Amino acid sequence: MSAGSGTSAVPGVARGRSGLAAWVVPGLRAIVALIAGFAITFTSGHSAAFGLVVFGLFALVQGAIIAAGAFGDRTERRSRGLFALQGVLTVIAGVAALVLPEGGVHYLVWVVSAWAIVTGALELVSGIRDRGRVGAARDWMFLGGLTLILAIAFLIVPPDYNQALGGIEQVKGQLTASVVLDGIFGAWAIVAGVLLGIAAASARSPLPATGPMTGPMSGPMSGKAAS
């Protein structure tokens, strides 16, 4: 969410004399994250390969958006570098997922958790560095922490988890690690998408400026997130 004209709401957003409109990048990132989340939610055939393909496509587009927003800014070099790096690393993670979709559960865990740890930490560090100087810093810390939680969730799911469904509803099938991991990523993507959507809407109709904060990611709310 933007704090005022010339500010932006989320990582990778640039607005001002030489940047993008503040709502464009978070809006695009929100769309990508929500598509990924709903694709997982409304698809029944969950598997490690499905998770890798969905994550790979998500990361490719999301990373390109973040990097484009960061490189498009000319006002806040300190934050821009970290978000540019985040975008590039996200693209690399997407490529890694797509080149080996048959990698299995262990590869899915490795790719997603490594991506979440690195990019979550980068966003968290951005928030800590700019705390008190940029209004969005606390939101970068929140979203960075949320992405780190995604990594932890992936790492604690046993790769060989396999539980027969049943119970009072008599549902047939198996609850496997692949199903759980796909569901976790889908839930994270939806939450990140909603946050990014709110940030984009707020940046589109900013509040009156209350201070001299400017730069690629200033404002009371930043994003995935997602994406």
Side-chain angles (χ1 to χ4, degrees):
M1 298 179 189
S2 177
S5 178
T7 67
S8 69
V10 296
V13 177
R15 187 178 184 219
R17 295 186 182 126
S18 57
L20 301 172
W23 60 271
V24 173
V25 172
L28 292 175
R29 292 186 65 195
I31 292 171
V32 174
L34 289 172
I35 288 175
F38 287 126
I40 291 174
T41 300
F42 295 106
T43 300
S44 58
H46 292 172
S47 65
F50 175 74
L52 283 165
V53 170
V54 172
F55 171 76
L57 293 173
F58 158 83
L60 276 180
V61 181
Q62 192 80 195
I65 293 169
I66 295 172
F71 285 121
D73 179 70
R74 298 292 184 273
T75 59
E76 184 56 71
R77 294 181 179 276
R78 184 176 183 181
S79 298
R80 184 180 62 173
L82 289 179
F83 286 110
L85 178 60
Q86 180 179 334
V88 171
L89 292 176
T90 298
V91 170
I92 292 173
V95 172
L98 292 175
V99 296
L100 194 60
E102 69 279 7
V105 175
H106 289 85
Y107 189 63
L108 173 64
V109 171
W110 181 82
V111 171
V112 176
S113 61
W115 165 80
I117 289 171
V118 175
T119 60
L122 284 173
E123 193 161 356
L124 183 61
V125 169
S126 294
I128 293 173
R129 288 178 60 185
D130 286 334
R131 183 174 51 185
R133 192 174 67 90
V134 177
R138 63 182 181 275
D139 303 296
W140 303 341
M141 290 187 287
F142 172 77
L143 289 166
L146 188 65
T147 305
L148 289 173
I149 291 173
L150 171 66
I152 294 172
F154 260 65
L155 291 172
I156 65 176
V157 175
D160 58 349
Y161 180 81
N162 192 325
Q163 179 68 45
L165 299 175
I168 60 175
E169 297 181 354
Q170 296 299 309
V171 178
K172 296 182 179 180
Q174 299 289 324
L175 180 62
T176 64
S178 297
V179 175
V180 174
L181 293 170
D182 288 354
I184 290 172
F185 178 71
W188 175 88
I190 290 174
V191 172
V194 170
L195 293 174
L196 285 162
I198 294 172
S202 298
R204 186 82 184 264
S205 302
L207 297 173
T210 58
M213 290 186 296
T214 60
M217 288 145 285
S218 337
M221 182 69 199
S222 75
K224 131 95 219 337
S227 74

